[in-house]
Amino acid sequence: MEEQSRKNNNVPNFLLSVRLKYVKLGYHYLVSNAMYLLLIPLLGIIFVHLSTITVEDLVLLSDHLRFNFIAVIFLSVLLVFLATLYLMTRPRNVFLVDFSCYKPGNELLCTREFVVERAKGIGSFSEESVAFQKKILERAGLGNKTYSAPGILKFPQNICMDEARKEVEMVLFGAIDDVLRKTGVNVKEIGILVVNCSLFCPTPSISSMIVNHYKLRGNILSYNLGGMGCSAGLISVDLAKQLLQVHPNSYALVASMESVTLNCYFGNHKPMLVTNCLFRLGGAAILLSNKSSERRRSKYQLIHTVRTHKGADDTSYSCVFQQEDENKKVGVALSKDLMAVAGEALKTNITTLGPLVLPMSEQLLFLITLVARKVLKMKINPYIPDFKLAFEHFCIHAGGRAVLDELEKNLDLSEWHMEPSRMTLYRFGNTSSSSLWYELAYSEAKGRIRKGDRTWQIAFGSGFKCNSAVWRALRTINPAKEKNPWTEEIDEFPVEVPKVAMINTS
C-alpha cells in the first residue's frame, strides 16, 4: 500500500494542469477583451443619458448651432482636411496576388548517395573530407529527392559561367512563367522588379536577364541584390513594399534563388564543406501589387516586415563568410558560433516584432517579467512570449536540421507548426531564400490556409541578418484548385525524418 502511494505521488497532477490551462486561457481572454468589457458599462451610461433627452433639448441644440454657424463650418472643414490628410498619408496596402516555386524534372534528382559517390570520384577531397560530408548528410534532414544543377550532375562536371546562366534561366524563367500564367498579368504592367541571388552576380545582372527575356517595359524599376544570404528573399519583399508605397497602381515582381553551379567547394577545409551537403536547386517568383482592385483575388496581404542586422558585431559579421582556403579554393565557411549568433539575431528581431503582433495579454506578461528581472533584480527566467497566439502558421527558413530544432525549442512550437519547414528541407533541401515559399506552398497544398490566418516567415542570412514578414490570408486556399510543387505528392507527407539516416555506399 505504501509503495502504491509512492507511485501515485510520481504521477503528474493532470487535473491541476488542466485547471492551469483554463486559468491561462481565461487570463488571455480577459486582457484581450478588456477594452470591450470596459466599454459596455460606458455605452450603457450613455444610452441611459440619451434616453432622457426631450424634443425641447433638441430644439435648443439646433438654435445653438444656428447662432454658432462659423464655428460649425470651421469644425467641418477641419474634419474634412484631417480625413483627407489621413487618407493621403496612410501606408498603401500591399497584396500578394500569387506566387510560384520551381520544381525541376526527375533528371535533376540528387540523392544523398550520389553526393557521397561524386565526392569520392572527383579526386579533390581527402578521405577525411568525404567521411565528414557523409556524416553531415546523414544528420542534415535531407531526403533522396532533392535536386541539383545540370552542370554539377554531369560527369565530368561542367562548372562554368555558361552553365550557371542556364541554371538561372531554367529556375527563374520557370517560376516567373508559372506565376504569370496563374495571375494572367501582362508583363508590360509590371513596374517593379527585385531579384536576389547572393553568390552569382553576372554582368549583365540577373534582373537584366529577366527584363531581356520578357521584354519588360523601359521605365521598369529593377534591382539586383547580391551577397545578402538566405534572408535576401524577405529583403526583396521589403524593398518591393517600400517602392509600392510611392508608385500607385503598380505590380512588383520578386524573384528569389541561389545558383549552386559555381558555388561548390572542392577543398578540404571542414567549415566550408557543410554548404556542399545542404544547398540544392530551387527558386520562387512572387507577384505583389498595391492596386485596390487586386484585393478580391489576392491570396495574402503583407502586414509587417521587420529587418534585423547584426553586422556591427565582428562575430556576427564573420560567422558566414565567403573566402579562400590555404589552397586558394573558394568556399563559404560556417562558424561554430553560427547558432548562437542566429539566436541573438532572432531575439532582437522578435523584440521589435512582438509589440506589433502579440496580444496585449502576452505583452503584459513580458513587461512584468522584464521589470522584475531588470528593476527588481529578481532571479527568474525571462518570459518567452507565446507566438502561437499571434500566428496560425510558421515558415522558418529550412537552413538545416540544427536551425529548425533550435527555433522549435526557443519558440515552443509543435511538430505541426514545424512540419512545413521540416518537409521542405527533406523534399527540396536548403534552397536558400526561396525555401520560405516552398513552405507556404506546403501549407496551401495541405489545405491549412483559412481566411484571416496569419503566417510568420522567418529567415536568416549572412551579415548577420534575421528578417521577418507577416502575411494575413485574404481568402481560404482550396488545395484542389492550386497547382504547386507539392500538389501531386502531398498525400505522401508528412514523413518520419530520422535523426540519423545512414548512407550506404560502396
Side-chain angles (χ1 to χ4, degrees):
M1 191 73 176
E2 186 177 338
E3 183 180 353
Q4 182 65 34
S5 175
R6 189 166 57 250
K7 286 181 179 179
N8 289 338
N9 288 336
N10 292 329
V11 176
N13 190 335
F14 293 109
L15 183 60
L16 180 60
S17 299
V18 170
R19 286 174 180 170
L20 287 174
K21 173 186 174 182
Y22 284 107
V23 167
K24 188 173 182 181
L25 286 173
Y27 162 74
H28 285 301
Y29 181 82
L30 180 64
V31 175
S32 300
N33 296 280
M35 183 178 294
Y36 301 107
L37 295 174
L38 291 173
L39 280 175
I40 290 173
L42 181 61
L43 289 173
I45 294 170
I46 294 173
F47 179 77
V48 171
H49 180 71
L50 289 175
S51 64
T52 61
I53 296 177
T54 62
V55 175
E56 289 78 8
D57 293 330
L58 293 175
V59 171
L60 287 173
L61 178 63
S62 175
D63 292 340
H64 180 74
L65 292 175
R66 188 166 60 251
F67 290 120
N68 292 274
F69 184 71
I70 296 177
V72 172
I73 293 295
F74 175 77
L75 288 174
S76 300
V77 171
L78 181 62
L79 287 173
V80 171
F81 173 76
L82 292 175
T84 304
L85 184 65
Y86 167 75
L87 292 173
M88 291 180 64
T89 57
R90 69 174 180 173
R92 301 180 192 276
N93 292 327
V94 175
F95 306 112
L96 191 160
V97 184
D98 214 329
F99 69 97
S100 292
C101 301
Y102 180 70
K103 185 177 183 179
N106 289 337
E107 69 278 4
L108 298 181
L109 285 173
C110 177
T111 66
R112 297 178 305 130
E113 287 77 13
F114 174 86
V115 175
V116 177
E117 291 293 350
R118 182 54 59 89
K120 290 180 180 178
I122 288 175
S124 63
F125 297 116
S126 66
E127 289 185 10
E128 185 181 2
S129 293
V130 172
F132 177 76
Q133 292 180 77
K134 180 173 178 288
K135 182 179 178 181
I136 293 294
L137 280 166
E138 290 175 340
R139 293 161 173 77
L142 277 70
N144 268 332
K145 287 189 176 181
T146 60
Y147 302 95
S148 194
I152 292 175
L153 296 175
K154 290 176 182 176
F155 190 81
Q157 290 181 331
N158 185 17
I159 297 177
C160 61
M161 176 71 76
D162 186 53
E163 282 290 334
R165 285 183 183 276
K166 289 178 181 178
E167 177 197 354
V168 170
E169 292 171 355
M170 174 181 66
V171 174
L172 290 188
F173 294 173
I176 294 171
D177 285 346
D178 192 48
V179 81
L180 292 177
R181 178 189 58 77
K182 286 180 177 180
T183 59
V185 171
N186 190 303
V187 293
K188 296 298 182 183
E189 296 181 82
I190 298 172
I192 298 166
L193 173 65
V194 184
V195 179
N196 66 270
C197 184
S198 291
L199 295 178
F200 180 55
C201 298
T203 301
S205 66
I206 297 174
S207 62
S208 293
M209 292 165 63
I210 294 172
V211 171
N212 176 261
H213 179 78
Y214 291 97
K215 307 305 177 189
L216 300 182
R217 66 197 203 195
N219 65 342
I220 191 167
L221 302 173
S222 65
Y223 299 84
N224 202 101
L225 307 182
M228 304 195 80
C230 299
S231 67
L234 293 186
I235 295 174
S236 298
V237 168
D238 180 66
L239 175 58
K241 181 190 80 170
Q242 302 300 334
L243 292 167
L244 287 170
Q245 296 305 308
V246 294
H247 296 279
N249 297 313
S250 297
Y251 288 105
L253 178 63
V254 174
S256 296
M257 73 166 293
E258 192 60 69
S259 173
V260 296
T261 299
L262 290 177
N263 296 298
C264 291
Y265 171 64
F266 295 103
N268 292 293
H269 189 47
K270 286 185 178 179
M272 297 183 181
L273 289 169
V274 178
T275 55
N276 287 358
C277 305
L278 298 178
F279 283 89
R280 294 292 187 270
L281 185 73
I286 303 96
L287 187 68
L288 304 172
S289 180
N290 57 11
K291 294 185 176 183
S292 56
S293 59
E294 286 290 358
R295 182 188 186 95
R296 180 180 55 82
R297 67 162 181 162
S298 293
K299 285 185 171 180
Y300 306 94
Q301 181 177 344
L302 182 59
I303 307 302
H304 301 292
T305 53
V306 175
R307 293 170 55 179
T308 301
H309 204 310
K310 306 291 286 186
D313 175 67
D314 291 342
T315 303
S316 299
Y317 170 73
S318 59
C319 71
V320 180
F321 209 87
Q322 187 179 27
Q323 61 189 39
E324 294 175 326
D325 65 12
E326 61 275 9
N327 295 314
K328 302 301 180 183
K329 293 181 179 179
V330 178
V332 177
L334 303 182
S335 166
K336 64 181 185 301
D337 300 317
L338 179 59
M339 295 309 301
V341 167
E344 285 300 315
L346 175 66
K347 194 182 302 181
T348 304
N349 190 271
I350 64 177
T351 299
T352 304
L353 180 67
L356 300 175
V357 299
L358 286 169
M360 187 57 66
S361 55
E362 285 295 291
Q363 295 188 48
L364 187 60
L365 286 174
F366 179 80
L367 178 63
I368 292 171
T369 307
L370 185 67
V371 170
R373 294 178 68 245
K374 300 295 184 181
V375 179
L376 304 179
K377 304 299 181 182
M378 296 175 64
K379 293 182 179 179
I380 57 175
N381 293 327
Y383 181 72
I384 305 299
D386 186 359
F387 280 93
K388 297 189 292 296
L389 294 171
F391 305 108
E392 285 74 32
H393 309 284
F394 296 79
C395 295
I396 301 168
H397 168 53
R401 183 198 291 276
V403 175
L404 298 182
D405 288 348
E406 194 68 20
L407 265 73
E408 179 180 6
K409 181 179 69 174
N410 288 341
L411 296 177
D412 191 27
L413 301 179
S414 68
E415 290 183 8
W416 187 89
H417 289 113
M418 296 298 299
E419 188 180 307
S421 300
R422 292 197 186 279
M423 293 305 101
T424 295
L425 180 63
Y426 178 84
R427 179 61 181 86
F428 294 97
N430 182 347
T431 61
S432 190
S433 56
S434 66
S435 70
L436 298 173
W437 301 104
Y438 287 90
E439 294 164 16
L440 186 56
Y442 180 91
S443 294
E444 289 187 352
K446 279 291 185 183
R448 296 180 176 181
I449 305 296
R450 297 284 184 268
K451 183 177 180 180
D453 281 1
R454 298 151 298 178
T455 300
W456 182 16
Q457 291 181 319
I458 318 168
F460 301 93
S462 57
F464 191 85
K465 297 178 285 292
C466 175
N467 300 317
S468 293
V470 177
W471 304 88
R472 185 175 66 241
L474 296 176
R475 57 186 170 89
T476 297
I477 307 299
N478 183 355
K481 296 181 179 180
E482 289 296 314
K483 189 177 185 305
N484 66 43
W486 298 95
T487 303
E488 297 175 356
E489 53 188 282
I490 192 61
D491 292 337
E492 301 173 18
F493 295 91
V495 299
E496 182 68 28
V497 183
K499 294 291 184 182
V500 179
M502 302 304 294
I503 299 175
N504 297 316
T505 58
S506 55

